[in-house]
Amino acid sequence: MIRLLILCLLLFSGVASAEGIEAINVTTNPDGSQEYSVTLQVLAIMTALSFIPAAVIMMTSFTRIIVVLAILRQAIGLQQSPSNQILLGLSLFLTLFIMAPIFSQINDEAVQPYIKEEITSIQALERAKEPMKAFMLSQTRIKDLETFAKIAGYDKLDSPEDTPFIVIIPAFVTSELQTAFIIGFMFFIPFLIVDLVVASVLMAMGMMMLSPMIVSLPFKIMLFVLVDGWSLVMGTLARSFGLGV
């Protein structure tokens, strides 16, 4: 992959040079920072597009939401309803809703100044990292942060804010999985109680050949509808990130 990228860059550089365009140009600013030519910036942006799905999954609220919804579907006993496409779409739009303040801050502090040529691309990237870093740190457990910091060799960090971005990401994902399983467990308990009650009643009636899952499924769906389950689940997930608190 790296060799192919280098080859494409060299070919693009040769074509651009033949046309009189500076394809590869690195300018040193008076403050010592470096600014790359537009062609290099476009190449970096096009390469970064392939990492957008991973960034959406691993650096936002998406992981917690999709795991909780998957556990909820399993708890109700529905294997294919809602379908995977619906769960993914619901998780994506709820993620956009939760992350809207962070995305808006990134747009105001990094994207718009860069478009207006008030800051360089490197400065825009650094500004964009700060809101994401603050969000992930607010949702990451100190224990997970310390674990990955020790693995990476950062034993002497004065505060969580000093943790490198490359360490925060795996710690954040681990904390998200832990939180998602805790929320999923709380949603699972009421449906488990319904299954136990139905199974006990069927055994008391001597109906051994009838599957408790078939009988309990309508009762679990009715329970979920009566308590306005979807609103409860979505509200709980949103509030778990600090929204509305």
Side-chain angles (χ1 to χ4, degrees), residues 17-233:
S17 298
E19 295 178 354
I21 303 175
E22 294 184 358
I24 303 178
N25 184 24
V26 180
T27 305
T28 302
N29 299 321
D31 58 356
S33 61
Q34 291 182 329
E35 175 68 8
Y36 300 94
S37 60
V38 175
T39 50
L40 278 178
Q41 294 178 26
V42 171
L43 180 62
I45 292 174
M46 296 302 294
T47 304
L49 290 178
S50 61
F51 295 98
I52 288 180
V56 170
I57 293 174
M58 297 301 174
M59 297 173 60
T60 65
S61 58
F62 183 87
T63 300
R64 182 187 305 184
I65 297 170
I66 190 63
V67 171
V68 170
L69 293 181
I71 294 176
L72 176 65
R73 184 176 65 177
Q74 185 69 26
I76 297 176
L78 300 171
Q79 301 300 322
Q80 298 297 331
S81 183
S83 64
N84 292 332
Q85 291 83 355
I86 294 178
L87 289 185
L88 288 172
L90 184 59
S91 301
L92 180 59
F93 282 103
L94 187 57
T95 297
L96 293 176
F97 171 75
I98 294 173
M99 299 296 295
I102 291 91
F103 293 155
S104 177
Q105 184 179 356
I106 293 175
N107 180 66
D108 294 339
E109 297 181 0
V111 177
Q112 292 302 322
Y114 175 69
I115 293 176
K116 297 176 182 178
E117 298 183 353
E118 297 175 355
I119 58 176
T120 64
S121 58
I122 302 299
Q123 291 173 332
L125 180 61
E126 291 298 323
R127 289 190 182 185
K129 286 169 56 178
E130 292 304 318
M132 291 300 301
K133 184 176 181 179
F135 167 77
M136 289 190 288
L137 283 175
S138 67
Q139 304 297 326
T140 304
R141 300 186 304 167
I142 297 298
K143 180 181 179 181
D144 294 328
L145 201 61
E146 292 177 348
T147 299
F148 284 95
K150 290 180 180 179
I151 294 174
Y154 297 98
D155 297 326
K156 299 180 180 179
L157 294 174
D158 297 332
S159 64
E161 288 73 16
D162 296 332
T163 308
F165 205 72
I166 195 65
V167 176
I168 296 177
I169 295 176
F172 169 74
V173 174
T174 303
S175 296
E176 285 295 281
L177 291 175
Q178 178 76 3
T179 305
F181 273 80
I182 293 175
I183 298 176
F185 171 78
M186 299 303 296
F187 286 142
F188 208 108
I189 292 298
F191 301 107
L192 179 60
I193 294 176
V194 174
D195 285 333
L196 291 175
V197 171
V198 171
S200 299
V201 172
L202 291 178
M203 289 187 64
M205 296 176 62
M207 304 175 68
M208 305 294 183
M209 301 302 295
L210 182 60
S211 173
M213 295 295 298
I214 298 177
V215 180
S216 64
L217 180 58
F219 290 99
K220 290 191 289 187
I221 295 177
M222 181 182 64
L223 173 65
F224 191 70
V225 172
L226 288 177
V227 300
D228 197 9
W230 287 114
S231 178
L232 179 63
V233 171

